[in-house]
Amino acid sequence: MPQGWLCLILARMSALKKVGIAFVVLILVLAVAAWWLMRGDSAQYSVADVAGSEPVLAEPNPQTIPTVQVAKPVGWGENEVPTAAEGLVVNRFAEGLEHPRIIYTLPNGDVLVTLTNAPERPVAGGWLTNFVARILFSRAGAGVPSPNKLVLLRDEDGDGRAETQAVLRDDLSSPGGIAWTDGNLYVANHDAVLRFDYALGETTLGGQAEKIADLPGGGNHWMRNLILSPDNTKLYVTVGSASNIGESGMEVERGRAAIHEIDLVTGRSRQFAGGLRNPNGLAWNPWNGELWTTVNERDMLGSDLVPDYMTNVPVGAQYGWPWLYWGDIVDERVDAPMPNFLVEYTRRPEYALGPHVAALGIVFTQEGSMMGEAFGQGAFVAQHGSWNRKPPSGYDVVFVRFDERGNPTGKPVQVLESFLSGDGTTRGRPTWVAWDRTGALLVSDDTAGIIWRVTAPGSTPAAAPQRISGARLPAQRELRGDPSRAFEEPPADLQPGAF
């Protein structure tokens, strides 16, 4: 071969080698860049630090790409149960269920459960967000089609296990909340509240459903919950937001991020409270009669923000979403114009449960509950677990103690320890809580298809909660100076000893 040709070949081989090296370097640079972008934000504070009545609130760390750490559900071993707090024991009340979520105990002791998952719906944020969301939902065990069933569970022999599993309906649409009174059974689909005729003890539920109210359907937060008023004349319904912070515009959020009140006598409805990004659990505080809810707060401000919370919900209450969080802290990412005087009007939540714990079901201590003195007066909360925190949070059931005035105090205490396996997987995900007829705590575990039963053997049944009562304050007859400070410097007829 002529020397010129050989030199040309060697030159070309050298060029190809340089191109190959450059390509490898480019791939490495892109890989490092991808790792840097996807590494996420690690928490500076513990979950306990960001929980309670005075949580530590970190500086916001806005993210274009969210922190992602999803625990893949792997299920429980044949004889395996969650680890409970000292003095408590756990058994399987029911198993083999298809994605059980909300559980509700009827007056006769039968337990109803909705087998459900999200409807087919777009997720706010565009095609890329929807593509990523499908991957995350699948890994978290939430990618299965909704079974759309209402099932009755019955423990006929009182051994703490439901021998009867009867499907009452299989034609619902991503059903959630359940309520019953005087022969009327209410079920919340993702897009409507339905009423059925139902007599206690029946194991079938025929007939046509009556639509009580339409609801905004689907959205990022699709599950709807129900609770009846103490006098059974009104129904309260939770509706979560369609987005994280209104990124699809506020028009699609009409009627969402709110609790609605339906008058069952007149059929009229109104927004009862707003600014609640994703309200879930509902329960009446037995000590003061207030309605309480659990709320999942916004994402993509870092692993330490924003704490999910539980709070009382007075009529007309506003909690600030999407513009504000934890009272008066402005979320600078929100594009929509903030309504006038929202900062002044927004309430601060009563109690933080921790960042990204995904608080869902809540029940208060009731007469006859069998959880022992350590869990005597307070609230039990199921925490579904995070997908976007490092390290993960939630995946447990906690107890929050309430004081003699009916207010939360201290830090959350684990009733059931974390369901996480420690290797990037989880055995299950606690979803809802309810009392059974014996005073045991029932906990639904949606990805494992199990309802757990928790009790303190040999404990004394809890006494009936004592309702706080007292004389009403007299009406304020004189307004002086700054109205917000009226009770710091009260007029003479409101001074101590004047009444």
Side-chain angles (χ1 to χ4, degrees):
M1 178 181 297
Q3 187 173 1
W5 280 101
L6 181 60
C7 291
L8 181 61
I9 292 172
L10 290 174
R12 288 182 177 179
M13 289 179 63
S14 178
L16 288 173
K17 184 177 180 180
K18 291 178 181 179
V19 170
I21 292 172
F23 181 74
V24 170
V25 170
L26 177 62
I27 294 298
L28 289 174
V29 169
L30 291 175
V32 170
W35 171 83
W36 179 261
L37 291 172
M38 298 295 290
R39 76 195 190 285
D41 171 70
S42 294
Q44 301 176 48
Y45 301 105
S46 70
V47 174
D49 289 337
V50 195
S53 300
E54 298 290 340
V56 175
L57 297 179
E59 288 297 314
N61 178 22
Q63 298 172 307
T64 302
I65 299 175
T67 299
V68 176
Q69 187 161 343
V70 180
K72 182 178 180 180
V74 295
W76 298 84
E78 184 176 352
N79 297 312
E80 195 176 12
V81 299
T83 301
E86 184 178 358
L88 302 178
V89 298
V90 184
N91 69 273
R92 300 185 185 206
F93 179 76
E95 54 188 319
L97 300 167
E98 302 173 84
H99 219 256
R101 281 213 143 196
I102 292 183
I103 43 182
Y104 180 85
T105 303
L106 293 165
N108 69 340
D110 287 342
V111 177
L112 301 182
V113 55
T114 46
L115 309 186
T116 188
N117 209 344
E120 287 292 329
R121 89 285 190 207
V123 173
W127 71 268
L128 181 59
T129 299
N130 278 264
F131 175 74
V132 174
R134 282 194 294 270
I135 295 173
L136 296 179
F137 292 157
S138 178
R139 179 168 176 80
V144 298
S146 179
N148 292 332
K149 295 177 182 179
L150 177 66
V151 172
L152 179 143
L153 306 173
R154 179 177 294 162
D155 176 10
E156 301 191 50
D157 59 9
D159 67 348
R161 290 184 59 89
E163 296 83 20
T164 299
Q165 292 189 16
V167 177
L168 298 184
R169 301 289 294 206
D170 61 3
D171 59 350
L172 301 172
S173 183
S174 296
I178 308 163
W180 183 92
T181 181
D182 195 25
N184 298 291
L185 178 64
Y186 300 95
V187 178
N189 278 342
H190 77 98
D191 58 359
V193 178
L194 308 179
R195 188 199 68 82
F196 300 89
D197 292 324
Y198 178 72
L200 295 177
E202 295 291 332
T203 56
T204 59
L205 182 61
Q208 291 294 315
E210 176 189 359
K211 184 187 289 188
I212 297 298
D214 287 307
L215 300 174
N220 284 23
H221 307 112
W222 57 270
M223 194 170 74
R224 315 296 181 228
N225 188 26
L226 299 176
I227 194 171
L228 284 160
S229 62
D231 64 2
N232 295 327
T233 63
K234 296 179 177 63
L235 197 62
Y236 298 87
V237 189
T238 63
V239 180
S241 68
S243 63
N244 182 33
I245 51 168
E247 60 268 25
S248 296
M250 295 308 293
E251 183 62 30
V252 299
E253 301 295 348
R254 187 181 299 274
R256 300 179 187 268
I259 295 174
H260 297 272
E261 179 189 75
I262 302 171
D263 189 315
L264 296 175
V265 178
T266 66
R268 291 194 292 266
S269 64
R270 62 172 176 170
Q271 180 172 300
F272 188 78
L276 301 152
R277 177 176 174 270
N278 185 21
N280 283 284
L282 292 170
W284 295 101
N285 183 318
W287 302 285
N288 57 28
E290 296 174 328
L291 179 63
W292 279 65
T293 187
T294 56
V295 178
N296 291 182
E297 254 291 357
R298 66 202 68 204
D299 297 321
M300 298 176 67
L301 284 178
S303 286
D304 289 313
L305 287 177
V306 174
D308 296 341
Y309 60 87
M310 64 181 193
T311 192
N312 58 352
V313 190
V315 61
Q318 170 60 242
Y319 282 92
W321 183 90
W323 297 277
L324 305 170
Y325 64 87
W326 204 253
D328 59 357
I329 303 176
V330 177
D331 190 335
E332 301 289 352
R333 302 172 299 168
V334 179
D335 292 328
M338 185 188 301
N340 291 335
F341 308 111
L342 186 69
V343 174
E344 292 81 359
Y345 188 63
T346 294
R347 292 172 60 89
R348 173 176 155 168
E350 292 293 320
Y351 190 90
L353 289 161
H356 309 298
V357 296
L360 297 180
I362 178 175
V363 292
F364 285 102
T365 308
Q366 69 174 24
E367 182 178 8
S369 55
M370 298 285 291
M371 297 295 286
E373 291 185 8
F375 303 104
Q377 178 165 312
F380 297 83
V381 180
Q383 302 193 132
H384 205 226
S386 63
W387 62 269
N388 56 345
R389 185 178 190 270
K390 291 184 177 182
S393 58
Y395 295 92
D396 56 3
V397 177
V398 297
F399 174 76
V400 177
R401 188 170 302 282
F402 275 57
D403 64 21
E404 66 279 358
R405 302 296 299 172
N407 298 313
T409 183
K411 298 289 186 178
V413 177
Q414 283 187 327
V415 177
L416 296 182
E417 294 182 11
S418 175
F419 286 18
L420 292 169
S421 306
D423 59 356
T425 64
T426 184
R427 299 173 184 88
R429 304 189 76 181
T431 308
W432 217 253
V433 283
W435 298 109
D436 77 1
R437 64 180 180 181
T438 71
L441 184 69
L442 300 178
V443 180
S444 64
D445 180 345
D446 60 359
T447 61
I450 297 171
I451 295 178
W452 303 103
R453 181 177 179 271
V454 188
T455 188
S459 62
T460 301
Q466 296 299 305
R467 184 70 175 265
I468 299 167
S469 62
R472 291 180 179 272
L473 288 172
Q476 185 178 351
R477 299 181 180 89
E478 183 180 349
L479 186 63
R480 299 179 306 183
D482 182 358
S484 68
R485 303 188 64 184
F487 286 92
E488 296 177 18
E489 302 174 1
D493 60 349
L494 290 182
Q495 292 285 351
F499 53 89

